[in-house]
Amino acid sequence: MCRILGHFDAHCTRDALRAVAEAQRHGGPDGQGLRSGADWALGSNRLAVMDPDGGAQPYALRTAPGEVVAVFNGELYNHRELREKLEARGHAFADACDGSVIPALFTEFGPRFTELLDGMYAIALVDLRGEPTLWLFTDDVGMKPLYHHWDPARRRLHFASELPALLTFPDVPAAPLPTGLDTYLATKTPFGERTMFEGVRVLPPGATARVTRSSGLTLVRRPPAPAAQPPHGTEPEAGDRVRELLRAQVHRLTEADVPVAAITSGGLDSGLVTALAAEAVPGLHTFTIAYTGDWPADERAFARAVADRAGTRHHQVEIDPATFPGLLDTVVRHLGQPNADPITLSTQALFAAVRRAGFPVALTGDAADELFGGYDRLHRAVHAPAGTDWVPGYVEALAAVPSALRGRLYSSDYRAFMADHGSVSEEITARLRRDGSGHPDRLAALTAFEVGERLPAYHLRRVDHLSMSSSVEVRLPFCQPDVVRHARSLPSRLKLSGGRRKRVLYAAAEGLLPESVLTRPKQPFTLPVTAMLRPGQPLMEHAREVLAPGRLRRHGLLDRRQVEALFRAQSAAPSDRAATAIWALMVHELWRERFFPATARRRVLDYRMPEVAV
């Protein structure tokens, strides 16, 4: 596991490259490597997980026509099988690290070598056997992000694993995306290739990008592997199949040359991963988060029940809400752009505790809700009466702030600007009506959107950045290719039917989890932000300070009177709606102040939309 960086056809000194690497060193504190040539460079910060004594990056393979050089962020769980295949073809390897097979795979199979990979990855590779060519690859789910800035006029590309690192390159400008505030509030963080920075993109899942001096940048998304159509049988039979598939993947993901732990929230998804991991790791350590004091939706008892049933050594990480204002700045800095989920604070604190306890690797249950139909918005959309328009309600459920409230909160200038340019909510609505309304399986269409757009942007990048900020590699059994393909093959009746969600996962968990966990009502793994944003609470006082009229005046995007009205409403009658809006606005303001501290107020109508050529 590493952080990677580089450029193509740009001019960057080694000192500048080291500064970029230093900006993301927390994700790879165990080693640093740089290689550069005429107008290209590749760099890596290493977190040593496999073969700690080997694995020095960049990896290189010299052939008669020229050299192939690569850097890699991720884990390849089938690297041993791949190494044996390559050794049979005459290749030799200096170490047993998973990434060392990449240059040889590329020379043997070309850019389609990703079809052979089982794991999570972001790969950058320079092929010097002909015209110098930079290749970038991401895994099919988007577990490992890669941000880039393409200058079409000068045909220069810069890339890095984290946004703050990318912005450290001298030639990468930092400017806020003009539509960014609305995009963020409409979807809680930008989806797809968008970021909150003008001209900065993130590679989508399953991406192959190619850059040459003669042809510039081309980017394609590889089609997902076709889902098999095995006979699923009854719900118990389907549950048995899912359990065995997950068992094989979880056991495989516990293999490492360093200690491995599991995150146990007390819910079905993480509980199932924990129970299966405990079968493979004697004395497995598990971690959960709790908050000092008495708060609603406390899950510590459920997490303890899961741990006791699985026989793990359980750690309850408790954080004091009084520390949240300071923790928020750390979260915003590491994420690089706003994410409106309050669980970011807990995620940051939890993984810091995991690392302090001596665990560089942790398994989680992320992605089960997207793949197996766990969200209320999916249930409502799938079971909307025939002839009704289910799309607007689904799109509204994605938002941090409902569309009507967003319109009131915006300044008159920004409201007019968005009226001219259109909201991302309108784009999503049009897409779902095109792809989903006429689909014979509405849940399949929604799952494709959730997995392809929302999951990598909202969940996976958050987990990646906040775990790697503490040098912890997160492994995601539900994102494994075999699990994803199998989930896509399941009929909707085994996911959502009869008022029940994730039916096949509950069937898979029978006998592995306590009955109290299997029968508890679903609740999101999140911070009790509504209770914490009340008068007298440290978080409420901090929010008032961050969203004070004088600070909002600097960018002119929000109507200060309406923001104050939001605080009055929350103080008089605390609600999820007002609390979530206050939280989202506070995070956005902290992000602007961190990344644009010297930016004077600019009129929104003077902004220009970014032009990004691909």
Side-chain angles (χ1 to χ4, degrees):
M1 181 66 67
C2 300
R3 284 319 201 205
I4 62 174
L5 61 118
H7 70 77
F8 188 83
D9 217 9
H11 305 285
C12 194
T13 66
R14 289 188 71 82
D15 284 344
L17 288 167
R18 290 190 187 98
V20 176
E22 189 62 27
Q24 52 187 19
R25 185 175 180 272
H26 46 264
D30 300 325
Q32 184 181 100
L34 291 170
R35 280 285 305 274
S36 59
D39 298 330
W40 65 269
L42 298 177
S44 166
N45 303 87
R46 187 181 185 215
L47 175 61
V49 171
M50 303 301 296
D51 189 9
D53 295 328
Q57 296 196 46
Y59 308 110
L61 177 63
R62 189 174 295 279
T63 67
E67 196 173 23
V68 173
V69 185
V71 288
F72 160 66
N73 173 25
E75 289 291 343
L76 302 181
Y77 305 117
N78 64 338
H79 67 99
R80 293 185 180 87
E81 302 97 303
L82 294 173
R83 185 175 287 104
E84 291 175 2
K85 180 183 294 188
L86 292 165
E87 287 173 340
R89 291 174 176 246
H91 292 277
F93 300 94
D95 59 42
C97 193
D98 54 337
S100 62
V101 301
I102 290 171
L105 284 171
F106 185 84
T107 61
E108 292 287 344
F109 303 102
R112 296 188 63 181
F113 81 97
T114 55
E115 297 173 7
L116 303 174
L117 303 183
D118 177 7
M120 54 183 177
Y121 56 86
I123 298 168
L125 182 149
V126 173
D127 185 357
L128 300 170
R129 294 175 297 172
E131 180 185 13
T133 304
L134 171 70
W135 294 89
L136 304 175
F137 306 92
T138 54
D139 65 69
D140 289 348
V141 183
M143 289 177 273
K144 293 286 107 180
L146 197 58
Y147 301 94
H148 64 95
H149 176 267
W150 169 243
D151 183 339
R154 295 186 289 180
R155 296 207 166 196
R156 293 178 178 176
L157 186 130
H158 299 80
F159 65 88
S161 295
E162 297 185 7
L163 277 165
L166 179 64
L167 297 172
T168 304
F169 279 108
D171 288 345
V172 176
L177 184 70
T179 57
L181 174 60
D182 183 76
T183 297
Y184 160 65
L185 295 180
T187 54
K188 299 183 182 178
T189 202
F191 288 0
E193 297 180 52
R194 286 186 176 96
T195 74
M196 293 288 285
F197 294 90
E198 189 171 7
V200 173
R201 313 283 277 182
V202 60
L203 287 182
T208 295
R210 179 178 181 270
V211 189
T212 65
R213 182 174 296 175
S214 61
S215 60
L217 169 65
T218 58
L219 189 154
V220 297
R221 292 188 71 169
R222 306 184 299 272
Q229 297 294 333
H232 296 296
T234 64
E235 188 173 302
E237 291 170 338
D240 289 343
R241 169 65 180 143
V242 168
R243 180 172 57 250
E244 292 313 306
L245 182 60
L246 274 173
R247 174 174 279 127
Q249 295 301 325
V250 169
H251 288 190
R252 191 177 200 187
L253 268 59
T254 61
E255 297 178 10
D257 295 329
V258 295
V260 176
I263 304 301
T264 306
S265 70
L268 169 69
D269 310 334
S270 67
L272 187 50
V273 169
T274 295
L276 296 172
E279 298 173 350
V281 181
L284 177 72
H285 287 249
T286 52
F287 291 80
T288 194
I289 197 79
Y291 313 106
T292 303
D294 185 17
W295 302 100
D298 191 315
E299 294 195 293
R300 69 185 81 190
F302 295 108
R304 171 63 70 180
V306 170
D308 289 346
R309 178 67 174 262
T312 72
R313 299 176 65 180
H314 191 57
H315 305 259
Q316 182 174 287
V317 179
E318 188 169 290
I319 53 177
D320 187 344
T323 66
F324 286 175
L327 190 57
L328 253 176
D329 186 66
T330 301
V331 166
V332 169
R333 171 165 48 89
H334 282 297
L335 287 176
Q337 61 183 351
N339 183 305
D341 193 340
I343 201 60
T344 52
L345 291 188
S346 310
T347 304
Q348 173 73 32
L350 182 59
F351 285 117
V354 169
R355 182 67 198 210
R356 285 196 301 271
F359 294 92
V361 176
L363 273 64
T364 77
D366 291 282
D369 283 314
E370 287 82 0
L371 289 166
F372 292 94
Y375 291 123
D376 288 343
R377 62 177 176 273
L378 295 174
H379 184 270
R380 290 192 297 268
V382 168
H383 293 99
T388 59
D389 187 0
W390 54 269
V391 175
Y394 173 82
V395 174
E396 279 286 272
L398 299 173
V401 179
S403 56
L405 179 55
R406 293 201 303 272
R408 292 201 302 272
L409 288 170
Y410 295 158
S411 67
S412 57
D413 277 356
Y414 192 62
R415 194 181 306 116
F417 176 81
M418 290 309 306
D420 287 342
H421 290 82
S423 173
V424 69
S425 294
E426 296 165 5
E427 294 178 24
I428 296 172
T429 298
R431 172 176 173 172
L432 291 174
R433 286 197 168 123
R434 181 186 68 243
D435 299 343
S437 293
H439 198 287
D441 187 341
R442 189 180 298 171
L443 182 59
L446 287 169
T447 299
F449 175 78
E450 292 271 350
V451 173
E453 299 290 329
R454 187 177 186 272
L455 175 66
Y458 184 59
H459 285 286
L460 300 184
R461 287 174 214 154
R462 179 188 75 216
V463 171
D464 172 83
H465 293 340
L466 297 182
S467 60
M468 291 290 275
S469 73
S470 295
S471 306
V472 175
E473 171 185 303
V474 166
R475 296 184 176 180
L476 304 146
F478 283 106
C479 290
Q480 280 293 98
D482 285 353
V483 177
V484 173
R485 283 193 292 270
H486 187 74
R488 288 173 52 211
S489 77
L490 290 168
S492 294
R493 65 177 175 83
L494 292 174
K495 298 179 182 180
L496 283 174
S497 64
R500 293 174 53 205
R501 299 152 180 77
K502 294 190 289 192
R503 296 183 66 121
V504 70
L505 274 192
Y506 279 99
E510 285 290 340
L512 291 175
L513 296 181
E515 195 65 22
S516 61
V517 172
L518 293 175
T519 57
R520 63 175 292 203
K522 177 177 173 56
Q523 70 180 48
F525 177 49
T526 192
L527 195 76
V529 67
T530 302
M532 291 181 175
L533 280 172
R534 292 173 182 257
Q537 293 293 336
L539 202 57
M540 184 66 148
E541 300 310 310
H542 187 57
R544 282 194 171 277
E545 179 183 340
V546 170
L547 297 172
R551 293 171 78 161
L552 297 182
R553 191 177 294 116
R554 283 179 288 189
H555 54 67
L557 300 176
L558 296 169
D559 185 322
R560 301 185 301 277
R561 293 167 301 179
Q562 291 296 327
V563 173
E564 178 56 33
L566 198 61
F567 276 106
R568 288 198 302 270
Q570 176 66 5
S571 297
S575 68
D576 292 345
R577 181 174 180 268
T580 303
I582 291 170
W583 174 272
L585 295 177
M586 175 172 58
V587 170
H588 181 265
E589 187 64 25
L590 289 170
W591 169 77
R592 285 192 66 96
E593 292 182 355
R594 166 158 284 278
F595 287 94
F596 310 103
T599 302
R601 179 184 175 187
R602 298 169 59 191
R603 287 182 57 81
V604 171
L605 298 182
D606 291 336
Y607 286 178
R608 297 292 181 264
M609 295 297 287
E611 296 180 4
V612 180
V614 175

